[in-house]
Amino acid sequence: MGRPHGEVTARPPLPVHLHWRSVLLVFVGGALGTTVRYLISSVVPPVYGLPVATFGINVVGAFVLGWLLEALALRGPDEGRRRSVRLFVGTGILGGFTTYSAFAVDADGLIAAQNVGGSILYAVATIAVGALASLAGIALGAALGRRRAGRRRSDGDAS
């Protein structure tokens, strides 16, 4: 049975994560984000033994990611330039900038230093404040999107 001799069948399109361009965007963005995180972490010392650099990085990253994804979603489907921005900035830069592994190592380091209370406080605060920062970023993205849409309507009415 099979297909007749000479008949060409179209291959299904590759998933986004298998496109070389997508991989390159994430790779380069991740290298940039990781470098910035390393530089910040190397100059911001712990405060009372708590790793404030990693905490701040993760909270800022959560806020920016919330804003970015909301702003991109409001501008249309995840394709073309929007997808490239999401992969480069969201997955790449912010994925490399924020870090669950350093968060976990820091929390474990606090336990190893017999600062279990500090470890619990650090872990809970990182998760709670990070979630709130993400929601705040989403709210900012939505507010800016509404403002942008209102300006477009006003500009359209004036013509």
Side-chain angles (χ1 to χ4, degrees):
M1 303 294 248
R3 63 176 194 244
H5 181 68
E7 182 180 322
V8 178
T9 58
R11 286 186 176 197
L14 284 174
V16 173
H17 68 278
L18 295 179
H19 288 250
W20 282 107
R21 183 174 187 282
S22 299
V23 172
L24 186 62
L25 286 169
V26 172
F27 177 80
V28 172
L32 292 171
T34 301
T35 300
V36 171
R37 173 175 38 91
Y38 170 77
L39 293 172
I40 292 170
S41 295
S42 66
V43 298
V44 177
V47 175
Y48 299 112
L50 297 175
V52 294
T54 303
F55 175 81
I57 286 166
N58 286 336
V59 169
V60 167
F63 175 82
V64 174
L65 185 61
W67 165 79
L68 174 72
L69 294 180
E70 181 68 14
L72 290 173
L74 290 174
R75 289 180 183 232
D78 184 43
E79 57 192 27
R81 192 169 45 183
R82 283 183 297 277
R83 178 176 289 159
S84 295
V85 169
R86 178 183 58 82
L87 290 171
F88 179 68
V89 178
T91 306
I93 292 175
L94 294 172
F97 181 66
T98 60
T99 172
Y100 182 80
S101 60
F103 161 68
V105 167
D106 289 344
D108 181 62
L110 289 167
I111 293 170
Q114 300 189 346
N115 187 353
V116 175
S119 178
I120 292 169
L121 174 66
Y122 172 66
V124 170
T126 297
I127 293 166
V129 176
L132 290 172
S134 179
L135 291 172
I138 292 167
L140 176 64
L144 292 174
R146 285 190 301 273
R147 182 200 246 173
R148 184 173 177 254
R151 272 198 312 262
R152 272 186 298 186
R153 278 193 299 274
S154 296
D155 291 346
D157 293 342
S159 38

